[in-house]
Amino acid sequence: MSMLTRFLRDETGATAIEYGMIAAAMATVILGLWATFGPAMTRLYEDVIGVL
């Protein structure tokens, strides 16, 4: 039983999991922004290149 309680109280990997969750959330936001504003940005850059 003591091994089970030690396992349940062990928090050594918690920080890595939290950093992983933060990275996943940031990737989700970036992909969402890219999907939303990507076509508009492409048109903007194409218009700028067309003027040059």
Side-chain angles (χ1 to χ4, degrees):
M1 189 67 170
S2 67
M3 275 184 64
L4 178 62
T5 55
R6 255 188 295 146
F7 175 74
L8 292 175
R9 291 183 184 184
D10 186 17
E11 296 182 5
T12 55
T15 303
I17 292 171
E18 290 168 356
Y19 283 132
M21 291 174 65
I22 290 169
M26 290 174 62
T28 303
V29 168
I30 289 170
L31 287 174
L33 290 172
W34 183 28
T36 302
F37 297 111
M41 293 302 293
T42 302
R43 282 191 303 275
L44 175 69
Y45 286 126
E46 288 172 350
D47 290 346
V48 169
I49 289 171
V51 169
L52 299 176

